[in-house]
Amino acid sequence: MGDISMMPWGHAAFGYVLFSLGHRFVTRKPPAGLGIVLAVLFGTQLPDLVDKTLSWGLHLFPQGYSIAHSILVAIPIGLLVLGVATAKSRFKLGAAFTVGYWSHLLGDAILAVPKSGVTPNDRLFWPIVTLPPYEYETSLLGRVNRIFSEFSNEMLTPEHFIFLAIYSIPYLLAFLLWIVDGAPGIPYARQTDNK
């Protein structure tokens, strides 16, 4: 199997669950509002949007784990966002983004691919550690297409049906948590549509 656990929706689900549970722990209330959901989602996708574009699209780095995946960059950015958000009385938005961003790095560290010899340190300490170049060169769209094609081909084979069912459980749980939270973002969207 490839590195399927690091798909964008995996980062989004993981980040939302961490933020929701943290928010509930601190405030005793579920998170609310479209802005909060969008901040978490943007934070969870930012490292790949930056680093995959710089590597796969612009070929500035040998791998898709560089600047935005480095804790040497992510920690100061997260603290800066929290500081600015606090100064503007938007702490929850800053916290949502920061938890989303840092959860992406945590997810990558937890699920580093052992069979390819990659450790969490290899992915998180750019520029101190850099990964070797990819074995093949392709365009940004070509690489994205390849990843999604491999994912779908692997998931659609009979021997992976049980794996697919197990793989889907965390996403189902994240979705159920979002429902329990009151589907933050949806009531706001409905109010906007009715105006």
Side-chain angles (χ1 to χ4, degrees):
M1 295 292 295
D3 190 16
I4 60 170
S5 57
M6 290 289 94
M7 291 296 207
W9 50 85
H11 286 299
F14 185 55
Y16 181 80
V17 167
L18 288 181
F19 180 75
S20 175
L21 295 178
H23 190 277
R24 285 173 172 276
F25 180 77
V26 171
T27 68
R28 305 290 184 228
K29 297 177 189 172
L34 179 62
I36 295 291
V37 173
L38 293 177
V40 171
L41 292 178
F42 180 66
T44 63
Q45 304 309 306
L46 183 65
D48 283 343
L49 289 172
V50 171
D51 288 348
K52 296 331 188 215
T53 301
L54 293 175
S55 172
W56 302 354
L58 301 175
H59 306 288
L60 297 177
F61 295 99
Q63 282 265 349
Y65 298 95
S66 57
I67 296 170
H69 281 82
S70 176
I71 63 170
L72 304 174
V73 173
I75 290 174
I77 287 177
L79 294 175
L80 178 66
V81 167
L82 285 172
V84 170
T86 301
K88 295 188 175 278
S89 301
R90 299 281 195 188
F91 176 78
K92 285 184 183 180
L93 279 177
F97 168 81
T98 301
V99 168
Y101 186 2
W102 290 354
S103 75
H104 183 110
L105 305 185
L106 178 61
D108 280 351
I110 291 170
L111 299 169
V113 187
K115 70 180 181 181
S116 64
V118 176
T119 69
N121 291 344
D122 294 337
R123 291 184 172 184
L124 301 178
F125 284 97
W126 179 93
I128 297 169
V129 178
T130 57
L131 291 167
Y134 291 110
E135 294 176 11
Y136 55 91
E137 208 54 54
T138 186
S139 68
L140 174 63
L141 292 178
R143 192 172 297 275
V144 169
N145 183 49
R146 181 172 181 254
I147 288 170
F148 282 102
S149 294
E150 285 178 3
F151 176 78
S152 354
N153 290 338
E154 287 180 352
M155 290 297 96
L156 296 176
T157 59
E159 61 268 17
H160 289 112
F161 180 74
I162 292 173
F163 179 79
L164 179 60
I166 293 168
Y167 179 77
S168 300
I169 291 171
Y171 302 107
L172 177 61
L173 295 175
F175 178 72
L176 291 175
L177 178 61
W178 179 73
I179 295 295
V180 168
D181 285 348
I186 298 298
Y188 175 82
R190 287 184 187 145
Q191 288 174 352
T192 304
D193 290 341
N194 293 333
K195 290 183 179 178

